[in-house]
Amino acid sequence: MTTTTKMTEVTGFTGSIAAFASQAANFVTRMIVARRNRKTILSLGEWSDEMLHDIGVTRADLHSAIGTSLLDDPSERLGALADFRNRVRAARSIV
């Protein structure tokens, strides 16, 4: 048995509206996620320096991540800083 599906392409004004709605929904979703992650990173500021060290970040990393634009997700910056620090530690342990 063969199933045939007919796909219609949305073009013109309707396509533009659909594309705009999709982009707007993605933007809102990214802003909600960034706000939630910013709130979580702010709560990490209550941790002791030893606890932060255990997860591979410093208080300066927290400040740097929170200092990003409100349109950016600070967890991406914090993750990059922690990853960089772990790579440096690993490289130093090789030598």
Side-chain angles (χ1 to χ4, degrees), residues 44 46-59:
L44 290 176
E46 299 171 8
W47 290 20
S48 70
D49 289 339
E50 292 80 18
M51 292 169 69
L52 292 174
H53 182 269
D54 287 345
I55 62 171
V57 298
T58 65
R59 200 158 300 283

Side-chain angles (χ1 to χ4, degrees), residues 9-20:
E9 186 177 333
V10 180
T11 59
F13 182 71
T14 305
S16 297
I17 294 296
F20 176 77

Side-chain angles (χ1 to χ4, degrees), residues 26-89:
N26 287 337
F27 178 78
V28 169
T29 301
R30 284 194 322 266
M31 292 302 99
I32 290 170
V33 169
R35 183 171 182 252
R36 184 189 67 218
N37 290 344
R38 185 172 298 278
K39 198 173 176 182
T40 301
I41 290 172
L42 284 170
S43 72
L44 290 176
E46 299 171 8
W47 290 20
S48 70
D49 289 339
E50 292 80 18
M51 292 169 69
L52 292 174
H53 182 269
D54 287 345
I55 62 171
V57 298
T58 65
R59 200 158 300 283
D61 294 343
L62 298 179
H63 291 289
S64 178
I66 293 299
T68 60
S69 167
L70 291 176
L71 300 176
D72 295 330
D73 187 347
S75 65
E76 294 174 5
R77 172 99 173 124
L78 187 61
L81 291 168
D83 183 53
F84 177 75
R85 183 168 290 104
N86 288 333
R87 289 174 188 265
V88 168
R89 279 187 197 140

